[in-house]
Amino acid sequence: MTEITHRTVETNGVRIHLAEAGQGPLVLMCHGFPESWYSWRHQLKALADAGFRAVAPDMRGYGKTDRPEEVEKYTLFHLVGDMVGVVSALGENKAVIVGHDWGAPVAWHAALFRPDIFRGVAGLSVPFRPRASAKPTSVMPQTEEAQFYQLYFQVPGVAEAEFERDPRATIRRMLGSVSFAAPRETDGKRSDGAVGMVPRSGGVLTQMADPERLPSWLTDEDVNFYAAEFARTGFRGGLNYYRNIDRNWELMAPFAGLPVIVPALYAAGDRDLVVRFRGAPELIANLTKFVPNLRKTIMLPGCGHWTQQERAADVNAALIEFLREVG
């Protein structure tokens, strides 16, 4: 059986924990919130068996990787810098980068900033989003009764208090609840921007039921792994990514309009709430305007947000096909 090994490298002023498997061309996989390297457990082995060197870091703020205290140390420039440093620390000068959820913007922007290093990019769930004309938080949906969950995450300490009250229950609800997938009856309808809302009288978890039974792709062992990590680290590091959304917008001004030019793949579940966010259907339909070398867009039927875990075999096949095309 393919063995997953672990090590820590130092780069960009932080120590980064890595899980890796296999030998061959380097594939770097970036996880999202609230996850860890473990989110790529199925891909690490599959890509290694297919002849690639698969590496999944605990991203900055997560797991066994350092967690800087300052909110402003979690910008896209820090996160991309970490990935550039990882490639170098591994003794490589080229890689294909893959990202899911928050890891997808990191992957897209790594390819945008450093196409000399990242010769291909695959984004899961979150498409590349070009810089808009207004600060992101200024256009996020909100009403007197509710606000978009990314607005709820902005004030330090609020979401931490909710999530850290019981990390295991938080993970069960977030990963195991069907509330993180769009209802089936809305399939085929346009997004109205109302998905992902948090009541002002409650929190994110009030919108998610604790499932009586975990979905088939998620085991108690999986939940226990994530819960133990967040019980030890807290959720602040991951939440700080959201607290830099407007700062990223400001810093990205010099890169406005610049396309992602390397070969690319986009894959998402058709029940993922992200593909129902305001403007997302139009963006995904026109993604080649901003990613001109997009090889394929894959929408996985019946799949929710946790793409590479829910549909491991499909994602593995798509990634391996893409990686072999890229060469």
Side-chain angles (χ1 to χ4, degrees):
M1 293 182 63
T2 300
E3 182 184 5
I4 296 175
T5 61
H6 297 263
R7 69 158 107 173
T8 298
V9 300
E10 292 193 26
T11 186
N12 201 23
V14 294
R15 292 166 298 173
I16 299 177
H17 166 251
L18 308 173
E20 60 181 313
Q23 297 294 325
L26 178 62
V27 184
L28 191 58
M29 298 179 288
C30 308
H31 68 78
F33 177 84
E35 302 178 81
S36 79
W37 74 265
Y38 189 78
S39 307
W40 300 103
R41 60 197 178 279
H42 306 300
Q43 287 69 43
L44 283 163
K45 296 180 179 180
L47 268 57
D49 290 343
F52 297 95
R53 184 183 186 185
V55 175
D58 279 333
M59 301 295 284
R60 175 182 291 237
Y62 288 89
K64 296 181 175 66
T65 290
D66 284 349
R67 304 182 299 279
E69 287 294 320
E70 302 91 336
V71 170
E72 62 270 18
K73 288 192 175 180
Y74 292 82
T75 71
L76 278 171
F77 288 87
H78 290 89
L79 303 172
V80 170
D82 291 349
M83 297 304 101
V84 170
V86 165
V87 173
S88 178
L90 291 172
E92 305 279 0
N93 54 29
K94 301 282 185 182
V96 172
I97 189 164
V98 182
H100 167 259
D101 186 81
W102 251 110
V106 177
W108 290 118
H109 285 84
L112 181 77
F113 297 154
R114 298 301 304 269
D116 58 318
I117 296 175
F118 299 104
R119 58 193 184 84
V121 58
L124 307 181
S125 176
V126 180
F128 176 70
R129 185 175 291 274
R131 185 178 186 270
S133 58
K135 284 187 177 183
T137 61
S138 71
V139 296
M140 288 178 181
Q142 56 181 314
T143 66
E144 291 185 5
E145 294 79 26
Q147 60 183 327
F148 192 54
Y149 74 97
Q150 294 184 16
L151 291 174
Y152 172 75
F153 287 167
Q154 292 304 305
V155 180
V158 175
E160 285 94 330
E162 180 187 8
F163 297 157
E164 292 170 10
R165 194 170 299 121
D166 186 340
R168 193 174 192 281
T170 296
I171 293 298
R172 274 185 64 92
R173 287 175 182 246
M174 282 196 167
L175 271 67
S177 172
V178 295
S179 297
F180 219 90
R184 290 189 184 277
E185 59 266 23
T186 66
D187 286 0
K189 295 183 181 179
R190 292 169 59 87
S191 170
D192 60 2
V195 297
M197 300 295 281
V198 177
R200 295 186 187 275
S201 59
V204 170
L205 300 180
T206 61
Q207 301 296 95
M208 300 177 180
D210 189 354
E212 292 183 10
R213 182 179 307 158
L214 292 174
S216 60
W217 56 270
L218 186 68
T219 67
D220 281 323
E221 181 182 4
D222 300 334
V223 171
N224 290 340
F225 181 89
Y226 287 119
E229 290 288 87
F230 285 104
R232 180 173 55 82
T233 67
F235 288 81
R236 186 177 301 273
L239 289 165
N240 281 341
Y241 287 46
Y242 295 93
R243 293 164 185 156
N244 279 280
I245 290 173
D246 284 346
R247 185 175 285 112
N248 288 333
W249 178 84
E250 294 174 357
L251 294 171
M252 282 297 297
F255 302 92
L258 192 66
V260 175
I261 61 172
V262 301
L265 170 72
Y266 173 66
D270 68 354
R271 297 189 64 220
D272 188 340
L273 285 184
V274 172
V275 306
R276 309 300 175 88
F277 287 168
R278 181 177 292 171
E282 294 80 6
L283 175 61
I284 293 168
N286 293 283
L287 200 53
T288 54
K289 291 183 179 180
F290 316 107
V291 187
N293 206 358
L294 182 67
R295 300 293 178 86
K296 188 180 289 186
T297 292
I298 300 171
M299 298 302 293
L300 298 167
C303 180
H305 179 66
W306 312 106
T307 327
Q308 75 271 28
Q309 297 181 81
E310 292 187 48
R311 299 291 286 275
D314 292 326
V315 170
N316 293 345
L319 286 177
I320 290 168
E321 179 185 25
F322 174 68
L323 292 167
R324 287 175 174 163
E325 285 180 1
V326 173

